Amino acid sequence: MIKLFSLKQQKKEEESAGGNRTGAGGKKASAAQLRIQKDINELNLPKTCEINFPDDDDLLNFRLIISPDEGFYKGGKFVFSFKEPNPEDPLNKEAAEVLQTNRRLFEQNVHRSLRGGYVGATYFERCLK
């Protein structure tokens, strides 16, 4: 498992070095990278869960490992991989095409699907309160 610095500590160190917040390779960190780092620092996983980063510099690609210690699945191991979306290699080709051609429409479709409703001919149940 990776040990991460808090954003405050990292910012302090970078300011003392005379730089801005940066990601891998000295590039300026994206909003997504900064957000995931903040979320990971605040993450409080139960003892049955572990998060693993194959590349310490790439916080947007990680694995979540769940090892239940009770119930029917006790002794099992479930591994979920999370990767940054890649419109070049999509699971949903129609959504990827919309993302590449009309980002605003893609954002509207995501919001519509989370609030419950139709996107094209597909109905999505409400996920947001």
Side-chain angles (χ1 to χ4, degrees):
M1 185 136 84
I2 180 174
K3 195 167 195 164
L4 300 172
F5 296 107
S6 70
L7 285 176
K8 195 173 198 178
Q9 180 65 27
Q10 183 180 1
K11 183 178 178 186
K12 189 176 184 181
E13 289 172 1
E14 289 172 355
E15 285 174 355
S16 67
N20 291 331
R21 292 185 199 177
T22 58
K27 296 178 185 174
K28 186 167 180 148
S30 71
Q33 290 168 324
L34 295 174
R35 179 60 199 222
I36 192 79
Q37 185 172 13
K38 179 181 184 299
D39 290 346
I40 290 168
N41 286 331
E42 295 174 356
L43 194 59
N44 191 9
L45 290 174
K47 65 180 182 172
T48 58
C49 297
E50 176 185 339
I51 194 165
N52 177 283
F53 296 89
D55 179 357
D56 293 348
D57 294 327
D58 185 3
L59 300 180
L60 297 176
N61 295 305
F62 60 93
R63 285 190 306 260
L64 176 65
I65 303 161
I66 302 173
S67 303
D69 61 357
E70 60 184 44
F72 186 75
Y73 296 105
K74 181 178 181 177
K77 187 175 187 177
F78 303 91
V79 180
F80 302 91
S81 293
F82 296 87
K83 297 185 178 188
E84 187 174 16
N86 179 1
E88 302 299 322
D89 184 22
L91 292 174
N92 183 333
K93 294 187 185 320
E94 292 172 9
E97 184 177 331
V98 173
L99 174 60
Q100 290 177 324
T101 59
N102 188 342
R103 187 170 183 89
R104 178 78 177 126
L105 177 59
F106 179 81
E107 290 174 7
Q108 290 171 347
N109 288 343
V110 169
H111 290 290
R112 186 177 299 118
S113 68
L114 293 174
R115 287 190 308 262
Y118 283 92
V119 176
T122 305
Y123 178 76
F124 295 89
E125 291 192 27
R126 185 178 184 88
C127 295
L128 300 177
K129 291 184 179 186

